Amino acid sequence: GAVVSQHPSRVICKSGTSVKIECRSLDFQATTMFWYRQFPKQSLMLMATSNEGSKATYEQGVEKDKFLINHASLTLSTLTVTSAHPEDSSFYICSARLAHNQETQYFGPGTRLLVL
Amino acid sequence: DAKTTQPNSMESNEEEPVHLPCNHSTISGTDYIHWYRQLPSQGPEYVIHGLTSNVNNRMASLAIAEDRKSSTLILHRATLRDAAVYYCILRTSGTYKYIFGTGTRLKVLA
């Protein structure tokens, strides 16, 4: 089946530093990847849509300069949380849509970010 | 984006069927209905999806109302491993974005 990985699985950083999270589709090519954020006891919130070779599309209220997304290849998208602050602490999850099977998204295992 | 409404929580006994309802009264004719589930500290897992007809797979069945304003995810025999938050999502035509609702937390009793 389609497998999506994320790295790292968890990260702790100091306030003011930047953190990069990778999302990889391991056995398929993904023209589109999505980034979500999930706070404790809450649902997933879509942050942005990442298309290979083009600029990401951000949802309303999500700062593009704060959450930098790069989708340089058909198997890799990265999310960089710049100048992280404690309120950015959250569970970040990516998903990927197969190029040939457009209906289903496959989700990564998530990255837990804790900003001290 | 069309919205979905689900009960916050449900309980089921082990090895009994579970019917998880979802209302989507603002669904349009080309919106697909997707179901995912999420275990604690994990990413969502695909369960099933459909457009108009009922669907079956090895995990579950999806029953879609004739007017498509509601659907029901059916787990035929609940196990302890089925305890999770189940999300009903509409995939809007023209975009492949998923807008998650609050989901239903399913508790399976041994």
Side-chain angles (χ1 to χ4, degrees):
Chain A
V3 178
V4 176
S5 71
Q6 285 183 239
H7 177 79
S9 58
R10 59 180 62 197
V11 55
I12 300 174
C13 69
K14 293 182 179 179
S15 186
T17 60
S18 293
V19 175
K20 180 186 284 188
I21 303 169
E22 293 185 349
C23 176
R24 292 181 185 272
S25 55
L26 296 185
D27 51 1
F28 65 98
Q29 293 185 331
T31 53
T32 307
M33 290 182 171
F34 302 87
W35 286 96
Y36 299 82
R37 181 168 54 181
Q38 185 176 34
F39 293 109
K41 307 289 186 187
Q42 294 186 24
S43 184
L44 282 75
M45 186 195 80
L46 179 66
M47 298 175 68
T49 302
S50 169
N51 292 298
E52 186 265 339
S54 63
K55 289 184 179 180
T57 303
Y58 291 82
E59 294 301 301
Q60 191 172 7
V62 178
E63 300 176 56
K64 62 178 182 179
D65 295 328
K66 172 76 172 175
F67 300 99
L68 300 178
I69 292 172
N70 183 275
H71 192 160
S73 77
L74 286 172
T75 60
L76 173 64
S77 175
T78 60
L79 169 69
T80 301
V81 183
T82 62
S83 186
H85 291 284
E87 58 265 30
D88 298 321
S89 299
S90 188
F91 193 48
Y92 291 87
I93 306 169
C94 72
S95 70
R97 181 168 65 88
L98 277 73
H100 68 277
N101 177 352
Q102 298 181 343
E103 216 26 71
T104 304
Q105 289 184 26
Y106 295 92
F107 286 80
T111 295
R112 189 161 301 282
L113 170 64
L114 176 61
V115 185
L116 302 176
Chain B
D1 296 314
K3 299 272 192 271
T4 61
T5 304
Q6 299 175 254
N8 286 333
S9 63
M10 291 184 66
E11 281 188 3
S12 173
N13 293 318
E14 199 176 8
E15 300 198 359
E16 288 189 358
V18 183
H19 290 231
L20 298 168
C22 180
N23 286 323
H24 27 79
S25 58
T26 59
I27 192 171
S28 70
T30 51
D31 290 349
Y32 277 81
I33 302 161
H34 290 254
W35 284 82
Y36 282 77
R37 68 183 185 183
Q38 185 182 26
L39 296 170
S41 298
Q42 294 187 27
E45 175 189 24
Y46 169 78
V47 178
I48 201 166
H49 78 276
L51 182 61
T52 56
S53 303
N54 293 342
V55 185
N56 299 295
N57 66 21
R58 62 179 180 81
M59 287 182 72
S61 295
L62 176 59
I64 301 173
E66 195 168 335
D67 63 5
R68 302 212 323 126
K69 293 185 183 299
S70 66
S71 61
T72 302
L73 178 70
I74 303 165
L75 305 180
H76 296 286
R77 287 183 64 212
T79 70
L80 296 178
R81 288 179 295 180
D82 291 324
V85 178
Y86 286 78
Y87 293 101
C88 168
I89 303 161
L90 297 184
R91 197 279 287 171
T92 305
S93 176
T95 171
Y96 291 95
K97 298 192 300 186
Y98 286 172
I99 305 301
F100 281 75
T102 55
T104 296
R105 183 173 299 277
L106 175 65
K107 185 176 181 180
V108 180
L109 306 175

